[in-house]
Amino acid sequence: MASWKSWTVFVVVCLLGKISGLDNGLALTPPMGWLAWERFRCNTDCKNDPDNCISDRLFRTMTDILVNEGYAAAGYEYINVDDCWPERERDPRGRLVPDRERFPYGMKSLSDYVHSKGLKFGIYEDYGNFTCAGYPGVVGHLAGDASTFASWGVDYVKLDGCYALPADMDHGYPEFGRQLNLTGRQMVYSCSWPVYQIYAGLQPNFTSIIEHCNLWRNFDDIQDSWASVESIIDYYGNHQDVIVPNAGPGHWNDPDMLIIGNFGLSYEQSKTQFAIWAILAAPLLMSVDLRTIRPEYKAILQNRKIIEVDQDPLGIQGRRIYKHRGIEIWSRPILPIHGQHYSYAVAFVNRRTDGTPSDVAVTLRELGLNNPAGYRVEDLYEDVDYGVLSPQTKIKVKVNPSGVVILRADAQPPFAYNAIPTRTPYNDVFRLSRK
């Protein structure tokens, strides 16, 4: 795997000359929370579907579940409203108004409720004449809308890009970010700036995007299907040389929402999405009905060890280091570091469709793990600690179709390999079993 030489150089460059991002002190690790859009879309029919429409009731319910069922304790902290929340027209003073029937108490009341539970509140708007669903956009009202959001206690703003000229975004997105900062309230700023420019055949100015946004979208909206998840994985792998260097504390690539627990992914596919999103240092924004999610999918979303990988303070986005005949290996440098040796999270992904698990065998050294003191290796889904392994140890994993095995390999301090009892692999082949 010769690509690991260039990968090591890339890591060193990242750490020695980190790209500086939006200096608002926010999103130093990828944001985590719950977002309405993929699961609930623009359902405004509260008369016939009161439990699932975009309404004050829905967001208060999800707030309660986040706190009461362990999601907040696992790190999920944002409750984010998406499109379709306002009235179709602004008030006589030009201010945005929440839909009076679906949000009868106003957004300040909802925000206060979210804050009372120890969580943070996010909202959606669009740098255009209209939002994607046809509600008022921020064009012509940048300062006023920023002030409105601050007065409501908003902590996170997602700014979409429908009904806008992509060329205008190089000015418009930074200007709205400036207006948010001028309010004096700290708000995470999520941008759709680059994806609309890419669609239009323009080359995004990522230097500017990094300077003005905490996170941004590069590719298509996720849909509730494995094909959609695969297309995002492929995009991030195929364009990683452009995408990866832009990520870091305070500025993240956003591959879109987690659809785990909905209708379109199997159990194995759900585990794959969560593992790859962690390797990508992606925001973890669930879009699922938390009232009805099955326990096995809830367990994926609350897997603390994989969340710890996603939230690693180094903030280095991982890369695809191997792709051959439907088998992929993805790797991300993480803490701890000992000398020149990083720890890693490594995901083995089976993209084959032949219906049987696939064995993948590789030495730690072939993965670029060369620490003479070895690595403590753990399977993050099976919750099995395999002890300290040497770089020469060959690991063999069995990966289910459309599934994943994700390992954490923590670099050991000097001489730890001899000091800590280890398992002795038969014929220097270490087999990691999969159920």
Side-chain angles (χ1 to χ4, degrees):
M1 298 180 182
S3 61
W4 264 99
K5 292 183 179 179
S6 59
W7 178 221
T8 303
V9 171
F10 167 77
V11 171
V12 173
V13 169
C14 277
L15 292 177
L16 292 180
K18 260 195 178 300
I19 301 170
S20 59
L22 175 61
D23 188 20
N24 61 5
L26 301 176
L28 297 181
T29 58
M32 296 176 59
W34 184 88
L35 177 62
W37 180 254
E38 202 292 320
R39 176 58 180 84
F40 294 96
R41 298 288 176 165
C42 192
N43 181 356
T44 60
D45 187 3
C46 289
K47 180 178 180 180
N48 294 308
D49 195 9
D51 292 335
N52 299 301
C53 65
I54 302 302
S55 65
D56 179 274
R57 174 181 173 182
L58 178 68
F59 292 99
R60 289 180 193 249
T61 298
M62 295 303 164
T63 298
D64 291 342
I65 293 175
L66 225 66
V67 173
N68 296 335
E69 297 192 12
Y71 295 96
Y76 296 94
E77 62 176 341
Y78 289 96
I79 292 287
N80 289 356
V81 178
D82 209 272
D83 205 348
C84 308
W85 61 267
E87 291 281 351
R88 292 285 183 177
E89 302 292 338
R90 293 173 177 269
D91 74 8
R93 296 173 59 184
R95 295 176 301 187
L96 292 165
V97 180
D99 185 279
R100 293 178 176 85
E101 293 186 2
R102 293 182 285 113
F103 295 90
Y105 313 111
M107 283 299 178
K108 180 65 165 62
S109 174
L110 178 56
S111 174
D112 287 347
Y113 186 79
V114 171
H115 292 150
S116 76
K117 300 295 184 177
L119 303 178
K120 298 177 181 178
F121 180 65
I123 205 162
Y124 166 101
E125 250 301 338
D126 188 289
Y127 182 69
N129 295 311
F130 302 99
T131 70
C132 294
Y135 293 84
V138 302
V139 167
H141 301 272
L142 302 187
D145 289 352
S147 178
T148 294
F149 293 158
S151 73
W152 289 346
V154 169
D155 304 295
Y156 181 118
V157 177
K158 173 184 172 182
L159 194 66
D160 214 332
C162 289
Y163 300 101
L165 294 175
D168 292 346
M169 294 178 179
D170 288 337
H171 167 75
Y173 272 91
E175 178 57 24
F176 189 65
R178 188 177 75 87
Q179 294 297 333
L180 291 176
N181 290 337
L182 286 175
T183 68
R185 182 172 182 82
Q186 289 188 310
M187 292 179 260
V188 170
Y189 188 27
S190 172
C191 303
S192 298
W193 178 0
V195 66
Y196 283 94
Q197 293 192 329
I198 291 168
Y199 286 159
L202 303 177
Q203 176 60 47
N205 180 351
F206 279 106
T207 300
S208 181
I209 292 166
I210 291 164
E211 180 182 353
H212 294 102
C213 302
N214 291 117
L215 61 154
W216 53 84
R217 291 279 308 286
N218 297 291
F219 189 57
D220 294 347
D221 287 357
I222 197 167
Q223 307 297 322
D224 192 12
S225 74
W226 176 235
S228 177
V229 172
E230 285 191 300
S231 72
I232 294 170
I233 293 173
D234 286 339
Y235 183 86
Y236 273 76
N238 295 340
H239 298 85
Q240 61 189 10
D241 289 342
V242 174
I243 293 173
V244 169
N246 301 323
H251 49 100
W252 309 102
N253 294 300
D254 179 9
D256 213 3
M257 294 160 278
L258 296 168
I259 59 170
I260 295 159
N262 289 327
F263 309 104
L265 299 187
S266 71
Y267 177 64
E268 294 294 335
Q269 292 161 357
S270 297
K271 291 198 296 183
T272 298
Q273 189 194 13
F274 201 62
I276 293 299
W277 263 233
I279 294 289
L280 294 176
L284 300 181
L285 298 172
M286 305 176 291
S287 190
V288 58
D289 191 340
L290 298 175
R291 298 166 296 190
T292 58
I293 189 170
R294 285 159 48 184
E296 62 267 32
Y297 295 101
K298 178 180 178 181
I300 294 171
L301 292 168
Q302 293 189 7
N303 185 309
R304 300 287 187 97
K305 293 179 179 180
I306 297 178
I307 290 172
E308 185 178 358
V309 170
D310 179 81
Q311 298 287 296
D312 184 76
L314 283 180
I316 300 174
Q317 182 172 326
R319 297 169 67 93
R320 186 179 65 198
I321 62 170
Y322 177 84
K323 180 181 180 181
H324 184 63
R325 295 184 177 179
I327 300 299
E328 298 180 6
I329 304 176
W330 293 70
S331 182
R332 177 183 176 185
I334 56 175
L335 294 174
I337 301 172
H338 289 292
Q340 298 299 312
H341 300 289
Y342 303 92
S343 300
Y344 291 91
V346 182
F348 301 83
V349 182
N350 184 355
R351 302 283 296 276
R352 295 176 181 171
T353 58
D354 52 11
T356 189
S358 296
D359 291 333
V360 183
V362 63
T363 66
L364 296 183
R365 189 179 301 281
E366 287 174 316
L367 293 172
L369 280 64
N370 298 311
N371 181 19
Y375 299 82
R376 180 170 290 278
V377 177
E378 182 179 14
D379 185 316
L380 300 187
Y381 274 124
E382 296 300 313
D383 197 25
V384 176
D385 185 341
Y386 291 101
V388 178
L389 309 181
S390 72
Q392 295 78 28
T393 303
K394 179 173 286 188
I395 59 173
K396 183 177 182 180
V397 296
K398 186 179 291 292
V399 193
N400 292 336
S402 67
V404 68
V405 172
I406 181 168
L407 306 179
R408 181 183 182 115
D410 280 352
Q412 299 298 293
F415 310 115
Y417 182 74
N418 293 325
I420 300 175
T422 67
R423 298 179 60 151
T424 303
Y426 179 69
N427 290 336
D428 205 30
V429 175
F430 198 86
R431 297 179 183 272
L432 303 182
S433 63
R434 296 294 296 164
K435 295 180 179 178

